[in-house]
């Protein structure tokens, strides 16, 4: 069974950074791309970017360039997303989702930016 | 960026009735390979989204055959026949023809 286990919810200060993880199991990690999606409170879905773990290639939504950094650790089958210089606009639930077609999703990780 | 626009449902939908959700893209999602680069997802209350339909009309594994997808290059429909309680939630269409991948704003289905 394909499973994506995300790290826990975070409460962070404005201006800080946060790094979240998405641990994959049930398949060969390097066979599929991993996507990251943002869902602001009460809002829809927004694509942040995609990483291809096999070749460490990333694609970003221009809106999130400089905000999000995607990495992957093949040894632990884990994808990471770091968000920097956090503001209240970054308070949201973040999902990882696997290719193809976002066919498997993590449970989501909530980030709350507050002083 | 490709803009995805979803229609609203005349909520609430009576149980057992059919419901059709529309989605329109600002650019044709029909590729020269003959495939249409559109997915549909359902996000049930308090849950992560789940894939329902890919390539515009192919049901994902384990998805009920009450769900069907159709359309042209820019106009798409997700039809749910005989709506049930488990169908309640927000439905999203998404294009994956171009970067950035974009989603529709969502269509909420409520049950009567």
């Amino acid at each position: 069974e394909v499973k994506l286990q995300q790290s826990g919810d975070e409460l962070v200060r404005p201006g800080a950074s946060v790094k979240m993880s998405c641990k994959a199991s049930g398949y060969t990690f390097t066979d599929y791309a991993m996507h990251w999606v943002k869902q602001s409170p009460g809002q829809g879905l927004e694509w942040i970017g995609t990483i291809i773990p096999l070749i460490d290639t990333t694609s970003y939504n221009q809106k999130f360039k400089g905000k999000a950094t995607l990495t992957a650790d093949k040894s632990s089958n884990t994808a990471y997303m770091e968000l920097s210089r956090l503001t209240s606009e970054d308070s949201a639930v973040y999902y990882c989702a696997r290719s193809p077609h976002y066919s498997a999703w993590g449970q989501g990780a909530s980030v709350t930016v507050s002083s | 960026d490709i803009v995805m626009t979803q229609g609203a449902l005349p909520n609430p939908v009576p149980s057992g009735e059919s419901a059709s959700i529309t989605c329109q893209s600002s650019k044709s999602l029909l590729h020269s390979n003959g495939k249409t680069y559109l997915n549909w997802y359902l996000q049930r209350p308090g849950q992560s989204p789940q894939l329902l339909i890919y390539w515009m009309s192919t049901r994902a594994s384990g998805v009920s055959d009450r769900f069907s997808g159709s359309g042209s290059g820019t106009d798409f429909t997700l039809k749910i026949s005989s709506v049930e309680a488990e169908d309640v939630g927000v439905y999203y269409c998404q294009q994956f023809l171009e970067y950035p991948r974009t989603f529709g704003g969502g269509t909420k289905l409520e049950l009567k």
Side-chain angles (χ1 to χ4, degrees):
Chain A
E1 177 196 5
V2 174
K3 188 169 182 180
L4 302 177
Q5 183 66 40
Q6 295 188 238
S7 48
D9 297 344
E10 302 266 8
L11 172 62
V12 292
R13 299 283 188 243
S17 298
V18 66
K19 189 172 185 177
M20 63 187 73
S21 65
C22 172
K23 184 169 177 59
S25 61
Y27 70 98
T28 301
F29 182 63
T30 50
D31 280 355
Y32 298 93
M34 191 74 78
H35 313 283
W36 291 86
V37 176
K38 177 183 181 182
Q39 187 166 38
S40 299
Q43 300 300 309
L45 305 171
E46 202 168 10
W47 175 73
I48 297 171
T50 298
I51 185 166
I52 302 175
L54 181 65
I55 53 177
D56 274 327
T57 297
T58 52
S59 301
Y60 291 95
N61 186 331
Q62 185 68 30
K63 179 179 177 180
F64 293 94
K65 280 188 175 178
K67 169 63 65 176
T69 303
L70 306 183
T71 57
D73 179 357
K74 292 186 277 289
S75 68
S76 64
N77 296 336
T78 303
Y80 297 92
M81 179 173 69
E82 183 170 19
L83 301 171
S84 61
R85 298 183 305 277
L86 292 165
T87 72
S88 59
E89 295 296 306
D90 299 314
S91 293
V93 176
Y94 294 88
Y95 294 99
C96 58
R98 199 205 76 171
S99 278
H101 306 294
Y102 301 60
S103 51
W105 292 66
Q107 81 276 22
S110 174
V111 173
T112 301
V113 182
S114 175
S115 55
Chain B
D1 298 1
I2 297 177
V3 177
M4 307 297 291
T5 303
Q6 293 186 228
L9 278 173
N11 282 316
V13 178
S15 178
E17 295 288 300
S18 66
S20 291
I21 299 170
T22 61
C23 171
Q24 190 171 53
S25 59
S26 61
K27 177 178 178 177
S28 176
L29 304 183
L30 176 60
H31 193 276
S32 56
N33 63 11
K35 294 186 175 182
T36 302
Y37 283 56
L38 180 97
N39 294 334
W40 286 98
Y41 304 90
L42 163 62
Q43 186 173 31
R44 295 187 174 102
Q47 295 186 19
S48 304
Q50 67 170 95
L51 176 67
L52 293 176
I53 301 282
Y54 59 96
W55 297 128
M56 186 180 71
S57 59
T58 303
R59 270 189 304 277
S61 176
V63 173
S64 169
D65 59 6
R66 295 184 298 102
F67 291 89
S68 61
S70 63
S72 63
T74 58
D75 293 277
F76 312 98
T77 301
L78 175 70
K79 183 176 179 181
I80 312 166
S81 62
S82 190
V83 168
E84 300 178 358
E86 66 179 19
D87 303 334
V88 165
V90 181
Y91 291 80
Y92 295 95
C93 58
Q94 181 215 23
Q95 66 80 20
F96 59 105
L97 180 69
E98 292 182 356
Y99 287 109
R101 309 309 196 207
T102 47
F103 293 86
T107 300
K108 191 171 187 178
L109 185 150
E110 298 171 334
L111 198 65
K112 188 174 184 181

